[in-house]
Amino acid sequence: MSRGEHDWLDSEAGPVVRPYAVTGGRAKPAVGGFDLVAFVVNADGGTGPRHLQPEHYAILARTRVPITVAELASHLDLALGVVRVLLGDLLQQGLIEMHEPVYDQSVGPQRPDDRILKAVVNGLRSL
């Protein structure tokens, strides 16, 4: 490593920021649980107040149309836990709305069969 270069700087990717730095060390959202298939939408279509982090603004920009939590994490290339913490911040400030999936209470929450989940995991591992 030459003088002036840092191990946290990648010439192709830019500066690398650890997830805990983005969330201020928080591992859980201030409010909300955020199911992976819950839809998130920008509450007023705006960009939000000026005191937010760049990641908050990216979320607000992506949620101008409804998007699931899982898709949002994928589009932003952020860990799901980080996205959930940031969504909690925005929900607490009333900048986003959450639309959780509705389950038929007479049969309880419908979960995918274990065989399907195993097939999905195996498929992802093969990528």
Side-chain angles (χ1 to χ4, degrees), residues 9 34 55 57-58 65 115:
L9 186 63
F34 308 108
E55 294 81 7
Y57 291 119
V65 295
R115 291 175 295 137

Side-chain angles (χ1 to χ4, degrees), residues 68-96:
T68 65
V69 173
E71 288 176 303
L72 186 60
S74 175
H75 285 293
L76 297 176
D77 197 25
L78 291 171
L80 186 58
V82 171
V83 171
R84 284 179 166 157
V85 170
L86 298 174
L87 287 173
D89 297 342
L90 296 172
L91 185 62
Q92 190 173 39
Q93 295 179 42
L95 298 173
I96 60 168

Side-chain angles (χ1 to χ4, degrees), residues 97-119:
E97 296 174 359
M98 295 298 300
H99 301 279
E100 298 284 339
V102 178
Y103 297 108
D104 184 358
Q105 297 301 325
S106 65
V107 294
Q110 298 174 353
R111 307 259 184 223
D113 186 273
D114 285 344
R115 291 175 295 137
I116 294 172
L117 292 175
K118 287 178 184 177

Side-chain angles (χ1 to χ4, degrees), residues 12-83:
E12 293 179 18
V16 178
V17 178
R18 299 281 184 215
Y20 61 81
V22 175
T23 63
R26 297 171 293 149
K28 296 187 182 215
V31 295
F34 308 108
D35 191 311
L36 288 176
V37 295
F39 279 92
V40 184
V41 66
N42 193 317
D44 64 2
T47 58
R50 298 281 180 229
H51 66 278
L52 298 175
Q53 294 174 247
E55 294 81 7
H56 287 116
Y57 291 119
I59 290 172
L60 290 174
R62 281 279 182 186
T63 58
R64 287 191 179 120
V65 295
I67 186 171
T68 65
V69 173
E71 288 176 303
L72 186 60
S74 175
H75 285 293
L76 297 176
D77 197 25
L78 291 171
L80 186 58
V82 171
V83 171

